[in-house]
Amino acid sequence: MKPVRTITATALPLDRSDVDTDQIIPSDWLKRVERTGFEQGLFSEWREDPDFVLNDPRYADARILVAGPNFGTGSSREHAVWAIQQYGFEAVISPRFGDIFRNNATKNGLVPVEVSEETARSLLFWATSAPTVEITIDVLELTVLSLQAGVKADFHLDTAVQLRLLAGLDDIGLTLDHTEAIDTFEAGRPAWMPSLA
């Protein structure tokens, strides 16, 4: 997982609420055994409509997804986060996230930025009417800023989650951060007990 300090990019507006994980990545895509290639399945059923926003070439370089409230509800599937990231998005802005989706996002380095409905509506408006407007997400300062859109807002991340993102540590990385303590513990275990050695 790569460290995330700031993201400055244009945004794709997904002006829909209650977007669940089955809409993000339909269940047909869960049969894959590899962890790559999920970008093709991102919103694949909606993408069949040529007017769907992901098909609009003006948003080809967008790295921030701005959505309506209740983004990522529904079943737990890391595949939804993988699909969003593999498509090229580094953050999602929404007034509310599904708890499991938010947890999966932070464990994979996708930044969930929860803002007020007013801020989200403003960003959706600007991303829709002026696709070249840039947004800056600062994970250290926990702010969302777009001078062009006249938006400056704070967002919240638990301190542990913020540090994980800033350091680029997934669960394995967090464990490896304690290798010395694990080795010391293992060396002191009685010989008759199970060991990792």
Side-chain angles (χ1 to χ4, degrees):
M1 197 165 110
K2 68 176 186 175
V4 183
R5 169 58 169 79
T6 58
I7 301 164
T8 298
T10 57
L12 179 137
L14 183 66
D15 195 3
R16 298 183 186 206
S17 59
D18 304 306
V19 175
D20 67 40
T21 52
D22 193 50
Q23 293 162 326
I24 296 169
I25 185 82
S27 58
D28 295 355
W29 287 85
L30 307 187
K31 299 172 188 171
R32 299 174 62 89
V33 294
E34 57 278 333
R35 192 179 156 174
T36 58
F38 288 101
E39 68 276 7
Q40 298 301 318
L42 180 64
F43 302 121
S44 60
E45 292 179 2
W46 292 346
R47 283 163 74 182
E48 292 173 7
D49 175 359
D51 294 329
F52 181 58
V53 67
L54 218 63
N55 296 323
D56 188 331
R58 295 177 302 163
Y59 300 105
D61 296 324
R63 293 185 359 249
I64 298 170
L65 176 64
V66 182
N70 297 324
F71 187 85
T73 58
S75 64
S76 171
R77 56 181 77 168
E78 275 187 311
H79 308 73
V81 172
W82 298 342
I84 291 168
Q85 286 181 303
Q86 290 169 20
Y87 195 85
F89 294 109
E90 298 175 30
V92 180
I93 299 174
S94 172
R96 281 184 305 284
F97 290 96
D99 289 337
I100 297 170
F101 175 86
R102 179 191 1 259
N103 191 42
N104 284 338
T106 60
K107 288 180 178 234
N108 285 280
L110 179 69
V111 183
V113 180
E114 190 166 311
V115 296
S116 69
E117 292 210 29
E118 179 184 355
T119 298
R121 294 269 14 127
S122 180
L123 292 172
L124 279 167
F125 169 80
W126 281 99
T128 302
S129 59
T132 59
V133 166
E134 288 191 332
I135 299 169
T136 296
I137 297 166
D138 190 322
V139 175
L140 182 62
E141 299 296 329
L142 297 176
T143 58
V144 180
L145 174 68
S146 177
L147 295 176
Q148 295 163 293
V151 170
K152 182 173 184 186
D154 297 328
F155 67 97
H156 174 76
L157 288 174
D158 290 337
T159 302
V161 168
Q162 181 187 24
L163 294 175
R164 168 194 287 257
L165 290 168
L166 288 169
L169 294 172
D170 60 12
D171 286 345
I172 294 171
L174 287 170
T175 302
L176 292 175
D177 228 17
H178 301 282
T179 301
E180 189 175 314
I182 293 168
D183 290 344
T184 300
F185 175 79
E186 285 294 315
R189 292 172 62 121
W192 57 268
M193 291 186 76
S195 173
L196 296 176

